[in-house]
Amino acid sequence: MTNEETIHRFYTAFQQLDYATMQACYHDDAVFNDPVFGLLDITETRAMWEMLCKRALNFSLVYGNIQLLDEEYTTCDWTASYLFSKTGRRVVNRVKAHMRFKDGLIIEHTDAFDIYRWSRQAFGLTGLLFGWSPWMNRSIQHKANLGLQQFMNS
């Protein structure tokens, strides 16, 4: 499978909340990083996608602008729209994915997005007032990782 085919497989599965297919797109040595969860190993990454898919409310996703930078590195844009489960608020998250591939599978995946914009949508006034702060960003990451660990232990 080519890197571009893997990207299509991954995001088509994401559109359908098919976490098992998403998980299968990762190399066994893969790592993931984003502003909400921080750096995750492959076990945590696979569990994160399962948790997010199972908890998704009013979810939709579009992706495109796939750019094959070379035989290993690729970027693409994706936008997810959903209700944030903790607050019930609508979030439209615009993301730039940076992926590195090995053997046709994702071995490094970084999702870059504006955490301040995300927190304003997810938390309303609290996000507006504090979402820019390192304290709030650490708090978001701590709670996301705590939730992930609880999900993995259940």
Side-chain angles (χ1 to χ4, degrees):
M1 186 172 293
T2 68
N3 297 349
E4 187 170 7
E5 289 169 337
T6 301
I7 287 175
H8 285 295
R9 182 175 182 225
F10 181 84
Y11 287 105
T12 300
F14 198 2
Q15 288 173 325
Q16 300 163 1
L17 300 175
D18 174 5
Y19 63 85
T21 299
M22 295 171 71
Q23 293 167 333
C25 292
Y26 283 96
H27 191 281
D28 286 338
D29 296 324
V31 292
F32 175 87
N33 189 29
D34 84 351
V36 170
F37 287 94
L39 184 62
L40 303 178
D41 67 22
I42 187 55
T43 302
E44 294 164 326
T45 300
R46 288 178 171 149
M48 174 200 65
W49 290 123
E50 179 179 353
M51 179 181 77
L52 292 177
C53 286
K54 285 183 172 179
R55 294 180 177 173
L57 300 170
N58 264 358
F59 178 84
S60 67
L61 180 133
V62 294
Y63 72 96
N65 192 29
I66 297 169
Q67 297 184 3
L68 307 171
L69 305 178
D70 61 25
E71 63 280 344
E72 279 187 278
Y73 293 94
T74 303
T75 63
C76 75
D77 298 326
W78 61 274
T79 302
S81 177
Y82 57 94
L83 293 181
F84 183 58
S85 60
K86 299 277 188 256
T87 61
R89 296 178 57 87
R90 167 75 46 205
V91 172
V92 178
N93 198 19
R94 291 175 177 80
V95 181
K96 172 69 109 187
H98 303 264
M99 296 176 175
R100 183 173 156 247
F101 290 83
K102 181 178 178 183
D103 304 324
L105 297 171
I106 303 163
I107 190 143
E108 293 174 12
H109 181 175
T110 299
D111 278 345
F113 57 90
D114 183 342
I115 190 68
Y116 181 45
R117 184 177 191 281
W118 180 89
S119 65
R120 291 191 317 262
Q121 294 177 76
F123 298 109
L125 184 59
T126 302
L128 177 67
L129 296 176
F130 302 108
W132 58 269
S133 72
W135 166 82
M136 177 90 170
N137 293 335
R138 282 192 304 274
S139 175
I140 289 167
Q141 201 168 94
H142 175 75
K143 288 176 183 169
N145 282 292
L146 188 62
L148 179 59
Q149 292 306 316
Q150 290 170 343
F151 179 82
M152 292 172 69
N153 292 333
S154 65

